[in-house]
Amino acid sequence: MPFAREAPSIVSVAPFYRKIAETVRYQDKQSDTPILLGVTPYHEFTLSNYVGYGRYITDLDVEEHSNVCVVGQDLVRALFPYEDPLDKELKIAGHPFKVIGVMEPLGQIFGQSRDNQVYIPISTFHKYYPEMDFPETIFAIIVRPVSRAYVKSAIDEMTDVLRRRRQVPHNAPDTFGISSQDALLDIYNQLTGATYLVLTAISAVALMIGGIGVMNIMLVSVTERTKEIGLRKAVGATRSNILSQFLIEAVVLTGIGGLLGLAVGELASILMNKYSPLPAFVPAWAIGVGVGISAAVGIVFGLWPAWKAARLDPIESLRYE
């Protein structure tokens, strides 16, 4: 790997081609959505994406422009639901390829499955796709630094190597782009952070409106039950007894609302997982926080009606019609 020798902070380099939505067919089954990757043997280690069973692409496959491929788990489920895909022949864009391996489950990133991919030797990819058809086909180089501490120096060394190889003048801007997983993670955190702020603001407004509604309901309840309150006080109930009664009622009311909201959220996450590529789930801590906040709303907005009920005069209450 000459590139790696010029950059001591880099331990592995994996150039690859990527073509979106290529047709893959086996017998009477077909998939039109897989991503086709033209890779080198170093791709597996560089990305830490390993074969589950079978073997990966080798240097000999690249040298001989072999028609071999490694498939992801999604393709196995779509094309080989009842048989072992190893040594089977499938067709990629009409060209025959022998399956030599199956990737381990890779999961999703940004809602896109990483298991819906098929890997072929980079030389074979270039044989069938000699012309770049951007943006459907792209070429990129992935590098793996010695460790996380070497990311910055690896980027600097890559920049220097690429500028020299592309003969970019000293004062001219780069004719290429470099990004790291940290940069992608920062972008993701910024997007999700902004979403969290908006949703938090909306939730706060919704809680305020709901709390006011609960307070109004409890005030009406106090008014309608004035005679009951007077009777309870006449037989010995204290202010704290009345206060506790109405606070508990307010907490139960908001708690039931919180549980209904959690049920709706759980149902929405199930439907999203089933009908969309975006992963969604309700963690256990969110359930606890949701119930706790609902109860807190009941206490805060139920305190004034409960205090009003506790301060009613028993004689006046018994006379109330």
Side-chain angles (χ1 to χ4, degrees), residues 70-275:
V70 179
V71 296
Q73 295 287 337
D74 287 355
L75 281 173
V76 173
R77 287 189 286 269
L79 304 180
F80 307 96
Y82 306 112
E83 55 185 313
D84 186 349
L86 291 184
D87 297 325
K88 299 295 191 302
E89 184 180 280
L90 51 75
K91 290 188 176 181
I92 303 175
H95 306 294
F97 280 81
K98 178 182 178 182
V99 179
I100 59 173
V102 175
M103 297 297 292
E104 64 182 6
L106 301 177
Q108 297 184 345
I109 182 169
F110 295 117
Q112 181 179 353
S113 175
R114 300 165 63 203
D115 294 313
N116 193 31
Q117 300 180 146
V118 56
Y119 307 77
I120 65 175
I122 192 170
S123 56
T124 308
F125 186 102
H126 195 264
K127 176 175 67 176
Y128 292 121
Y129 304 95
E131 300 294 332
M132 294 290 287
D133 186 18
F134 187 83
E136 285 76 17
T137 304
I138 64 171
F139 174 76
I141 300 173
I142 298 177
V143 302
R144 179 170 180 167
V146 176
S147 68
R148 188 180 183 87
Y150 287 83
V151 171
K152 181 64 171 63
S153 58
I155 292 175
D156 293 339
E157 292 167 2
M158 287 168 55
T159 302
D160 179 63
V161 172
L162 289 174
R163 286 183 66 89
R164 284 190 283 107
R165 290 196 176 186
R166 287 170 167 253
Q167 298 181 349
V168 179
H170 176 68
N171 296 325
D174 295 337
T175 57
F176 52 87
I178 296 179
S179 62
S180 66
Q181 290 184 341
D182 290 341
L184 295 175
L185 184 60
D186 289 341
I187 294 173
Y188 176 78
N189 289 335
Q190 290 174 9
L191 293 174
T192 54
T195 303
Y196 291 154
L197 287 176
V198 172
L199 292 178
T200 301
I202 294 173
S203 300
V205 173
L207 286 173
M208 180 68 68
I209 295 172
I212 293 173
V214 169
M215 185 170 63
N216 289 332
I217 292 172
M218 294 305 298
L219 285 172
V220 171
S221 178
V222 170
T223 302
E224 292 179 346
R225 296 162 63 186
T226 299
K227 203 163 190 176
E228 175 193 329
I229 296 169
L231 183 61
R232 289 201 63 202
K233 285 193 170 185
V235 296
T238 63
R239 286 186 175 183
S240 62
N241 295 142
I242 304 298
L243 182 71
S244 300
Q245 175 188 345
F246 280 89
L247 277 180
I248 291 172
E249 290 181 9
V251 170
V252 170
L253 181 63
T254 56
I256 292 174
L259 290 174
L260 290 175
L262 287 170
V264 171
E266 182 65 32
L267 178 61
S269 69
I270 293 173
L271 293 175
M272 184 174 291
N273 281 327
K274 186 174 182 179
Y275 296 108

Side-chain angles (χ1 to χ4, degrees), residues 39-41 55-70 97-101 119-125 127:
V39 301
T40 67
R55 69 173 179 87
Y56 201 68
I57 290 164
T58 65
D59 287 321
L60 185 61
D61 294 327
V62 176
E63 291 173 5
E64 295 184 351
H65 302 69
S66 302
N67 280 31
V68 295
C69 67
V70 179
F97 280 81
K98 178 182 178 182
V99 179
I100 59 173
Y119 307 77
I120 65 175
I122 192 170
S123 56
T124 308
F125 186 102
K127 176 175 67 176

